[in-house]
Amino acid sequence: MLKMIAKRLGLLIFVIFGVTLVTFFMSHVIPGDPASMMAGQRASEETLQSIRAQLGLDQPVWIQYFYYMSDLLSGDLGTSIRTQRPVVEDLMTFFPATLELAIVAFIIAILIGIPLGVLAAIKKNTFWDHLSRVFSIGGVSIPVFFSGLIAILFFYGILGWLPSNGRISVDLNPPTHITGFYIIDSLLTFDMAALKSSLQHILLPALVLSYAQLAIITRQVRASMLEVMNQEYIRTAIANGIKGRLLIISYALRNALIPTVTVIGVAFGSLLGGAVVTETIFGWPGMGKFVVDSIEYLDFPAMMGFTIVISIGYVLINLIVDIIYGLLNPQLKR
Amino acid sequence: MIKKLSYCFFIIISVIFLAACQENANAPSDSTTENDSNSNESTTTSKSDQLVVAMPADVTSLDPAVSMDNTAWKIIYNTYERLVDYDGATTNIKPGLAKEWKVSEDGKTWTFYLEDGHLFSDGTPVDAEAVKASFERTLAVDNGPAGVFSMISEIKVEDPLTVTFVLSETFPPFLSTLAANYGNIVNPKVLEHEVDGDLGQNYLASNTMGSGPYKLTEWKKGDSLKLELNEHSKLKPSITTVLFRVVSDPSVQRLQLEKGEIDIAEGIPVDQIDTLKELDNVTILQEPSLAVDYVYINNKNGNPALQDARVRQALNYAIDYDSLVSAVQLGYATQMHGPIPDGIWGHDKSVKQYNYDVEKAKQLLAEAGAEDLTISLLYSDNKTWWETEALAIQSNLADIGVTVKLNKVAYATSREMMDKGEFDLALGVWSPDFGDPYMFMNYWFDSSYHGLAGNRSFYTNSEVDKLLREAATNNDQEARQSIYKQVQDIVLEDAPYILLYQKDFILPMSKEVKGFVYNPMLESMYNLQDMSK
């Protein structure tokens, strides 16, 4: 297992190198001039040239790439063209917000999705099965911008229970920065006001975001549960008088979860990437909006920084999925 | 494991729902009301000394020497001061940091006499040295704002409260540029924050160092910015805290305005304005703006037929201006009358205005021998209404037998293509940085501004060039006005653009907000020091 982890982490270096190479050259091939975006509505040729020189855009692409990589090796992701701040600083501001949202949404999706899938499987073709199908398919069918607005209208507009926008109340200071996750940081610093406010703020966007992934998990759990329930060892177990929760959870679900883990891994990746719309609707200060703005602005350093972080994220998620695989199925440990 | 998981599930869900059923923590609560944990009602009474503005996007760099972005300017404008300012709702200039000024006979030397007692937010006095240092920094940073001041050749400190600008050429709009955002005076102590020779750019990107009535005290990136009073300012505004919140979704802004959580909603598109009018607590400000929407006709590199003035005139006659305004802006705009919009001196009702005349357009096309014309129309998704506008233009031109191929590209790409002249027709918007017809006439029609700089139709007319350059170096406003009239007559015949409409400025705000004066030169900026609730 350790060997596998080490090998995977070693592979990460090549992945990152490949990703930087491809994205750097691709982003420089797109027609468009960041200098003209920076210089404002109307810019004279002299101003454009001066900005291009400041940004190093007047150099050949491969020299720019060389400079970029040598900075990257020393941990410097450059300065954002749009915000004029170091990219690392921007990533540290926006990435934890997205990750926090994705993780909470992910937990909600699992906590609702797995039991719902199990329910659908053991109550196959009954009312409960149909209900779970309708509910979960609704998630993939209803676009996030719609379910998001409905959720806001209902919980904020009509009931007034939950806030509509942001990550924490504007009247409160964010908790001291430790992990960048408001929920964890406020727990660590015993900042109860911040904890309450950040929970209130994350609930709606996380629910909306998780709803879109719910169907995938529910349907997968249902399918694998049905498959497992038909297998020989379950029948043997039933014959031996094992039944009820013990049978379903310890015997069937454990095996049914193995294929589900892969799906869940993919789901988490989609949550990270798919948070863009949710973030826009809920004014969630995360990567989504930041990246879209950066792309529109042709802000290469910010785009590159984001791509690198996300690709590291994907490799790590895959690694975690494989580790969980191993834990669930000892045969795979070899 | 599953058992443990299900315990976690219940704990998490109950914590979240307990928290959820509490009072809405997002609403600005009344300072005297502590949270009542049993209440399900959201607290929407806002403090009278706090103004909350919802804006659709976050701010980028706040450095006055770098920023060319209206959103950032709304923060910059209230946290810095300028030598001069726009007077109320007009484009006239009134004293700012400078109580008076004089200009030499040849218009090249401008001397400003500073008012004593202005202090930066850290207590440093605003003196002639600071003014000099601030402008020299802007020029050294050499970004967009420096381009506007390229005519400054020397800045001299005469005494602690007198500063002189020597220009390399006469530039009558100079005073007006000083009232714009580029003219903000930065505390010279910014250099203490210099890193790697950046002249403090990194620091000023997220901090303010000015002498305006407010200072930036908090910026939750992507979420909100908070301005609080600069205790060293001479002004004592009644609003002590201003919160600018990023609320990207227009429907959410509408709900928040309705519930009184925000006072001003900046990002609501025209198609949602009518429903807002029905709300009791909301008033909608509607004023003509100086932002214009027009079509660039490529006079040089596009379809060769477009080099014929008759074809360009035909395109101008083919547009059904009234329908376009009502379809695209739902009536919240007015057809342009000449290139200089209503609201800036130089605007002239006597110049020619194209009207919708299909027969005339067809006849002109026939005369030019360009009946079966196929041209492209370039635009991007930068403005939400461009798609509708492009379709309307396509349909209008089809009526005169001109086939229009729509070419929608990414915004950054569209800018590069416009700069290089890779289009036949292109949609564009323009708003002035300073209140002078120079912003429209010289930028649009002088051949030295070909490309992004302003003359985006690549129009060249040597007589127009000569007249415009004369107008740009003459300090006599009346003489300039008559030159601009002459030029307008010429360019309307030449028709290098299709002048569409002048947009209205629409701002939904709470009825509690008092004292806001809309100045078309300061679009999206607020006179916070005079406002109250």
Side-chain angles (χ1 to χ4, degrees):
Chain A
M1 183 79 108
L2 280 177
K3 209 173 146 192
M4 189 263 289
I5 295 175
K7 205 172 128 190
R8 285 295 197 82
L9 291 178
L11 205 66
L12 187 63
I13 296 168
F14 290 98
V15 172
I16 300 301
F17 179 73
V19 164
T20 56
L21 196 72
V22 173
T23 41
F24 193 89
F25 284 92
M26 269 175 63
S27 57
H28 281 72
V29 168
I30 305 170
D33 181 5
S36 92
M37 301 296 289
M38 194 173 171
Q41 271 294 306
R42 34 194 159 264
S44 66
E45 200 47 43
E46 298 81 56
T47 309
L48 290 179
Q49 269 168 14
S50 139
I51 297 175
R52 279 187 207 121
Q54 284 176 33
L55 298 173
L57 293 170
D58 51 350
Q59 306 282 336
V61 182
W62 62 272
I63 292 188
Q64 290 183 47
Y65 182 68
F66 175 77
Y67 284 133
Y68 184 82
M69 286 310 280
S70 53
D71 284 347
L72 186 64
L73 289 178
S74 57
D76 181 5
L77 287 167
T79 304
S80 160
I81 295 172
R82 189 171 64 91
T83 66
Q84 292 289 304
R85 291 187 292 265
V87 172
V88 176
E89 218 175 83
D90 278 341
L91 286 178
M92 273 166 52
T93 312
F94 297 115
F95 190 65
T98 297
L99 199 58
E100 186 176 37
L101 178 64
I103 290 175
V104 173
F106 182 64
I107 292 172
I108 295 175
I110 290 178
L111 291 184
I112 299 175
I114 294 180
L116 206 61
V118 173
L119 182 78
I122 52 179
K123 309 261 185 204
K124 189 184 160 194
N125 289 335
T126 66
F127 170 74
W128 294 106
D129 186 18
H130 299 317
L131 187 72
S132 106
R133 183 179 297 131
V134 169
F135 178 69
S136 57
I137 297 297
V140 272
S141 327
I142 302 172
V144 170
F145 64 82
F146 185 74
S147 51
L149 284 179
I150 294 295
I152 290 176
L153 183 67
F154 191 69
F155 287 102
Y156 168 76
I158 297 171
L159 296 174
W161 286 0
L162 293 170
S164 57
N165 201 74
R167 212 178 158 194
I168 193 165
S169 165
V170 283
D171 295 336
L172 290 175
N173 288 323
T176 321
H177 191 286
I178 301 169
T179 59
F181 296 161
Y182 282 7
I183 297 176
I184 295 178
D185 287 353
S186 51
L187 274 173
L188 291 176
T189 53
F190 297 105
D191 188 345
M192 287 307 133
L195 176 68
K196 186 182 138 191
S197 180
S198 41
L199 280 174
Q200 283 177 328
H201 281 78
I202 205 167
L203 187 58
L204 270 194
L207 274 175
V208 167
L209 185 58
S210 64
Y211 189 39
Q213 297 296 326
L214 206 63
I216 301 166
I217 297 174
T218 312
R219 303 314 292 166
Q220 177 63 46
V221 171
R222 181 182 180 275
S224 7
M225 272 301 276
L226 286 176
E227 199 185 319
V228 169
M229 293 293 271
N230 274 330
Q231 277 172 14
E232 208 73 354
Y233 77 94
I234 295 285
R235 275 189 242 132
T236 318
I238 295 172
N240 283 334
I242 295 168
K243 56 184 177 185
R245 249 197 315 189
L246 183 68
L247 175 79
I248 290 162
I249 293 174
S250 300
Y251 283 70
L253 184 60
R254 192 182 165 107
N255 284 321
L257 277 182
I258 297 174
T260 312
V261 166
T262 321
V263 173
I264 291 177
V266 176
F268 187 67
S270 318
L271 282 177
L272 264 186
V276 178
V277 183
T278 317
E279 285 179 3
T280 309
I281 296 168
F282 289 92
W284 190 261
M287 291 298 298
K289 191 105 186 37
F290 174 72
V291 172
V292 172
D293 290 347
S294 305
I295 293 171
E296 278 182 5
Y297 211 90
L298 283 182
D299 185 351
F300 303 123
M303 285 153 71
M304 297 287 296
F306 171 77
T307 317
I308 291 171
V309 169
I310 286 293
S311 43
I312 294 177
Y314 264 86
V315 174
L316 290 182
I317 290 168
N318 267 316
L319 181 61
I320 293 167
V321 165
D322 286 349
I323 293 171
I324 297 175
Y325 238 97
L327 292 177
L328 283 173
N329 189 351
Q331 278 181 347
L332 290 177
K333 276 187 188 165
R334 256 168 263 164
Chain B
M1 185 174 93
I2 300 296
K3 209 168 184 179
K4 280 182 197 159
L5 267 181
S6 53
Y7 282 133
C8 288
F9 171 78
F10 280 117
I11 292 169
I12 292 172
I13 294 294
S14 24
V15 167
I16 290 175
F17 275 97
L18 269 178
C21 294
Q22 304 277 317
E23 193 178 349
N24 179 0
N26 206 24
S29 53
D30 201 296
S31 52
T32 52
T33 323
E34 254 308 298
N35 285 350
D36 178 2
S37 55
N38 293 323
S39 162
N40 280 347
E41 297 273 309
S42 61
T43 315
T44 49
T45 39
S46 42
K47 292 185 234 169
S48 67
D49 54 354
Q50 175 174 288
L51 184 80
V52 187
V53 181
M55 52 185 192
D58 198 13
V59 168
T60 53
S61 173
L62 289 177
D63 187 341
V66 173
S67 180
M68 294 297 282
D69 168 18
N70 269 33
T71 316
W73 286 354
K74 92 179 79 211
I75 308 294
I76 297 174
Y77 206 79
N78 283 291
T79 48
Y80 291 85
E81 284 179 299
R82 298 141 297 276
L83 287 173
V84 290
D85 276 313
Y86 290 112
D87 192 1
T90 70
T91 53
N92 302 332
I93 300 296
K94 67 170 185 183
L97 285 169
K99 56 185 181 198
E100 54 192 29
W101 54 89
K102 67 169 193 224
V103 56
S104 66
E105 274 293 302
D106 63 358
K108 288 186 181 173
T109 311
W110 291 78
T111 306
F112 292 89
Y113 304 95
L114 303 183
E115 189 181 51
D116 200 7
H118 285 265
L119 301 171
F120 289 108
S121 54
D122 66 347
T124 310
V126 186
D127 55 13
E129 284 293 348
V131 173
K132 176 178 155 75
S134 180
F135 278 93
E136 284 178 348
R137 176 178 178 276
T138 300
L139 292 171
V141 166
D142 201 10
N143 213 306
V148 181
F149 291 130
S150 54
M151 80 305 272
I152 296 178
S153 69
E154 197 191 352
I155 304 165
K156 290 188 283 195
V157 172
E158 311 285 352
D159 65 55
L161 292 174
T162 311
V163 62
T164 300
F165 292 77
V166 183
L167 308 187
S168 55
E169 60 195 78
T170 311
F171 185 64
F174 181 64
L175 198 62
S176 197
T177 60
L178 296 179
N181 262 280
Y182 329 113
N184 286 297
I185 308 298
V186 177
N187 190 336
K189 287 193 176 162
V190 63
L191 293 179
E192 289 171 9
H193 299 278
E194 178 162 354
V195 183
D196 301 332
D198 73 345
L199 300 166
Q201 282 182 62
N202 187 16
Y203 180 79
L204 273 200
S206 344
N207 294 279
T208 57
M209 288 186 80
S211 57
Y214 293 89
K215 60 182 177 185
L216 178 74
T217 52
E218 192 184 323
W219 184 358
K220 292 181 201 159
K221 301 273 158 62
D223 183 271
S224 60
L225 292 104
K226 189 193 255 181
L227 299 188
E228 285 177 297
L229 289 184
N230 164 14
E231 60 270 29
H232 295 288
S233 167
K234 284 190 155 182
L235 297 164
K236 300 288 168 235
S238 86
I239 290 172
T240 53
T241 313
V242 188
L243 264 175
F244 290 95
R245 294 179 55 190
V246 183
V247 184
S248 321
D249 195 282
S251 312
V252 177
Q253 283 200 7
R254 211 175 82 189
L255 265 179
Q256 291 181 338
L257 186 66
E258 190 178 337
K259 297 189 74 142
E261 191 179 326
I262 56 173
D263 299 303
I264 296 176
E266 289 186 347
I268 299 187
V270 282
D271 55 1
Q272 294 195 28
I273 293 296
D274 283 346
T275 43
L276 273 180
K277 283 184 176 162
E278 292 157 14
L279 299 177
D280 294 336
N281 63 335
V282 174
T283 165
I284 293 171
L285 188 97
Q286 182 182 354
E287 301 269 354
S289 79
L290 296 178
V292 302
D293 205 286
Y294 60 136
V295 182
Y296 318 139
I297 305 175
N298 197 330
N299 287 231
K300 191 178 160 199
N301 308 314
N303 189 313
L306 299 174
Q307 287 166 17
D308 189 325
R310 288 170 298 185
V311 176
R312 299 195 299 262
Q313 289 168 354
L315 300 183
N316 269 277
Y317 279 119
I319 302 296
D320 183 354
Y321 295 93
D322 293 338
S323 305
L324 187 87
V325 164
S326 58
V328 177
Q329 297 294 345
L330 303 178
Y332 293 103
T334 319
Q335 187 192 344
M336 281 173 83
H337 201 142
I340 303 171
D342 195 358
I344 286 194
W345 69 266
H347 173 77
D348 198 333
K349 285 267 188 293
S350 70
V351 299
K352 179 187 174 106
Q353 187 183 38
Y354 282 92
N355 55 332
Y356 179 46
D357 191 338
V358 175
E359 289 314 312
K360 181 124 190 184
K362 283 183 177 166
Q363 183 199 329
L364 282 163
L365 279 184
E367 279 173 27
E371 284 104 334
D372 293 317
L373 195 58
T374 300
I375 47 178
S376 68
L377 173 62
L378 176 73
Y379 65 104
S380 73
D381 55 3
N382 185 247
K383 298 285 177 247
T384 47
W385 64 84
W386 274 349
E387 184 85 39
T388 328
E389 193 160 291
L391 290 167
I393 291 171
Q394 187 184 41
S395 139
N396 276 170
L397 295 188
D399 292 344
I400 61 162
V402 175
T403 311
V404 175
K405 288 190 172 151
L406 301 183
N407 185 15
K408 186 179 182 182
V409 298
Y411 180 51
T413 311
S414 76
R415 284 176 64 82
E416 175 150 339
M417 289 171 75
M418 276 171 202
D419 195 34
K420 291 184 176 162
E422 294 166 355
F423 61 92
D424 294 333
L425 303 182
L427 297 184
V429 287
W430 188 270
S431 53
D433 290 347
F434 44 88
D436 193 287
Y438 182 96
M439 263 325 307
F440 294 86
M441 299 304 292
N442 292 65
Y443 276 102
W444 288 11
F445 302 109
D446 188 326
S447 62
S448 63
Y449 283 116
H450 274 181
L452 263 192
N455 188 337
R456 293 167 183 180
S457 65
F458 295 85
Y459 171 67
T460 309
N461 181 327
S462 53
E463 195 196 346
V464 167
D465 281 352
K466 195 177 121 260
L467 286 167
L468 285 175
R469 286 164 202 175
E470 198 183 317
T473 49
N474 191 330
N475 266 339
D476 180 357
Q477 186 167 324
E478 265 178 41
R480 290 182 67 203
Q481 187 144 3
S482 92
I483 300 173
Y484 282 138
K485 167 77 172 65
Q486 271 184 64
V487 177
Q488 290 187 70
D489 290 340
I490 301 172
V491 296
L492 277 158
E493 278 309 315
D494 277 349
Y497 301 98
I498 307 174
L499 305 175
L500 296 178
Y501 52 83
Q502 183 176 348
K503 281 186 69 184
D504 281 350
F505 172 79
I506 302 165
L507 190 69
M509 54 164 81
S510 154
K511 279 191 175 147
E512 288 177 8
V513 179
K514 307 272 184 311
F516 172 60
V517 176
Y518 167 69
N519 186 313
M521 279 314 303
L522 304 172
E523 182 133 11
S524 81
M525 289 165 239
Y526 300 94
N527 52 323
L528 293 173
Q529 71 273 13
D530 313 318
M531 290 167 68
S532 63
K533 263 174 79 181

